Amino acid sequence: MSNHYVILTLTGDYDVSQRSTLRAELAAVEDSDGLIVDLSGVTFIDSSCVGELVSMHGARVAAGHPPLTVVQDDFIVKRLFELLGLNLVFHVVDTLDEVVPDDAGAIVRQYAAGGDSRASVADTSNKTSR
């Protein structure tokens, strides 16, 4: 993986009511090299939001980007990805430390995604908040 990382961190529950917000967040970072979607704070994700991740991944691969890296440590989310075979599609890791070096540094931009869900983006190439 490159020295440049864009990390989209999602937390809370993601269901159809957050789908359009998730789609917009994914579209904003879709063309980023070193893209990581951190689902470690996600407690629920439904098929509509999983579909958004799969669609973005397909667009990225078609555009010549590397496979999407997904961080997931919640048992239920991890089990869902295994049942759907998505652990074979995405580059799946248990922790962010597995793919981002300790000295990478990051500034985080946060978004309310509706309900108790939150999304944030960290770009390790930029030391200034966006």
Side-chain angles (χ1 to χ4, degrees), residues 17-128:
S17 67
Q18 285 86 30
R19 182 179 182 184
S20 62
T21 301
L22 178 61
R23 182 183 304 135
E25 292 300 327
L26 294 173
V29 297
E30 181 177 309
D31 292 328
S32 303
D33 288 329
L35 178 60
I36 301 167
V37 176
D38 184 357
L39 300 178
S40 60
V42 171
T43 52
F44 175 81
I45 187 167
D46 76 358
S47 61
S48 67
C49 293
V50 170
E52 292 299 329
L53 290 170
V54 171
S55 292
M56 184 196 54
H57 173 74
R60 283 180 55 79
V61 170
H65 293 287
L68 180 64
T69 297
V70 176
V71 179
Q72 46 181 227
D73 67 355
D74 181 81
F75 175 77
I76 294 171
V77 174
K78 185 180 284 190
R79 183 71 177 132
L80 174 65
F81 272 59
E82 289 171 357
L83 288 171
L84 295 173
L86 297 177
N87 57 323
L88 303 174
V89 175
F90 301 119
H91 175 223
V92 178
V93 297
D94 291 327
T95 67
L96 202 51
D97 294 338
E98 292 179 49
V99 289
V100 178
D102 289 337
D103 61 353
I107 299 298
V108 176
R109 178 177 62 174
Q110 294 211 344
Y111 303 88
D116 66 347
S117 304
R118 294 197 54 77
S120 65
V121 176
D123 184 338
T124 62
S125 70
N126 187 347
K127 301 294 182 197
T128 306

